[in-house]
Amino acid sequence: MLPYQEPPAVTARVSTAADRDRITDIMATSFWDDPTWGPLFGEGDRRAMAGAVLGFMARSATRYPWVLISSGGESVSVWIPPGGEEMASYEHRPFERLIQDELGPGADVVLETLELFEQARPTDRPHFYLSLLGTHEDSRGHGIGMGLLAENLRRVDALHMPS
């Protein structure tokens, strides 16, 4: 086992609409071949499917000032603030249609998996919820994602809120 190493300091900013394409690309390269998420995207162009599905989720959360992107655009974290929802109610139907269009017969498995994630979220106290954290494949292995996570937790801690 390797000894613990402090993640590098990462400067982050709140994402904007101008970051949406980059966020989608980060999500696509982060999860298309992930051992948990990858198989959910079935056969075909899993990278495109991951970008479409997870990019939609990440872009939806940009309505909160808690979707943070590293200053170099290598990594993104999607936090849902206390009392927030991952998607606005008007986005549920378009999201389900997107999943059905992208995944066909595999759509039900993804929708069921997302529902299990939602059911696992605690409801007994307000908290910040980390929905997604991804680092672009070109920047993996340098601790940028962990550095971004550390920066996120510093911001949440400054508000004295649980995460």
Side-chain angles (χ1 to χ4, degrees):
M1 187 163 94
L2 296 173
Y4 173 77
Q5 291 182 337
E6 190 71 28
V10 171
T11 304
R13 62 178 173 75
V14 174
S15 68
T16 67
D19 297 313
R20 289 183 174 197
D21 288 343
R22 182 62 181 172
I23 289 170
T24 298
D25 193 39
I26 291 169
M27 289 297 119
T29 68
S30 295
F31 292 98
W32 74 275
D33 204 23
D34 178 81
T36 300
W37 280 100
L40 295 176
F41 297 121
E43 300 303 318
D45 189 350
R46 294 189 334 180
R47 182 174 173 158
M49 290 180 208
V53 172
L54 298 174
F56 186 105
M57 293 171 64
R59 290 187 309 273
S60 171
T62 60
R63 69 189 184 284
Y64 302 120
W66 286 94
V67 177
L68 301 179
I69 190 165
S70 61
S71 59
E74 308 94 345
S75 189
V76 67
S77 60
V78 178
W79 287 86
I80 307 302
E85 297 292 328
E86 289 199 74
M87 272 183 240
S89 59
Y90 63 85
E91 294 176 310
H92 287 253
R93 298 288 273 176
F95 182 68
E96 288 178 13
R97 278 195 305 271
L98 169 73
I99 289 178
Q100 290 165 347
D101 290 347
E102 287 291 326
L103 306 179
D108 290 340
V109 173
V110 172
L111 291 170
E112 289 169 14
T113 301
L114 291 172
E115 181 59 31
L116 290 172
F117 278 121
E118 185 61 31
Q119 290 173 12
R121 278 182 67 183
T123 58
D124 60 339
R125 63 188 171 114
H127 64 283
F128 278 86
Y129 173 72
L130 178 61
S131 174
L132 295 164
L133 172 67
T135 300
H136 194 277
E137 65 187 355
D138 294 342
S139 300
R140 280 196 208 124
H142 302 287
I144 297 168
M146 290 297 100
L148 179 60
L149 181 58
E151 172 60 24
N152 295 165
L153 293 173
R154 279 191 286 281
R155 292 178 185 210
V156 170
D157 289 347
L159 298 175
H160 306 288
M161 289 295 299
S163 55

